[in-house]
Amino acid sequence: FNIIQRIFEGESNLDYSYPNIDTIEAQTGINRKTVMKYIRVLKEHEILYYEKVRKGEHKDKNYYTRWKDRGCLISALHSNEECA
């Protein structure tokens, strides 16, 4: 649950957030590989939803939301409109 708290803590008033894996790793003390594993497990259990978006030739950004709010994230990413 520490990972979930770090994902949603202090980003904005939006129903989604976008911390990078390095930030989650630094704030939780959990190594990168384990953070990525837990995020994958949370998605498989429909607790957390995320999408990876290409932000440049060699840069991806992950956007996270609660499973129940995934429609908001999908809409925001594909229409460039924020939902709160």
Side-chain angles (χ1 to χ4, degrees):
F1 291 108
N2 200 7
I3 291 174
I4 294 172
Q5 178 186 1
R6 297 299 182 217
I7 287 174
F8 291 105
E9 187 175 81
E11 282 294 329
S12 70
N13 291 329
L14 301 173
D15 285 335
Y16 57 90
S17 63
Y18 35 87
N20 64 45
I21 299 294
D22 295 333
T23 299
I24 298 169
E25 178 183 20
Q27 291 179 346
T28 62
I30 300 170
N31 72 50
R32 180 182 184 83
K33 186 176 180 180
T34 303
V35 167
M36 293 171 67
K37 174 186 158 191
Y38 287 158
I39 289 171
R40 209 170 26 255
V41 168
L42 290 167
K43 185 174 184 180
E44 288 170 3
H45 286 85
E46 298 182 355
I47 296 168
L48 182 73
Y49 179 81
Y50 70 91
E51 278 201 32
K52 185 177 291 191
V53 176
R54 173 86 48 200
K55 288 293 190 180
E57 189 173 325
H58 301 288
K59 181 94 171 137
D60 292 334
K61 186 154 196 70
N62 291 333
Y63 289 82
Y64 304 91
T65 192
R66 292 167 189 86
W67 187 264
K68 69 179 184 73
D69 297 324
R70 68 190 179 282
C72 176
L73 175 61
I74 293 166
S75 178
L77 290 176
H78 298 284
S79 68
N80 293 324
E81 293 181 16
E82 293 182 355
C83 52

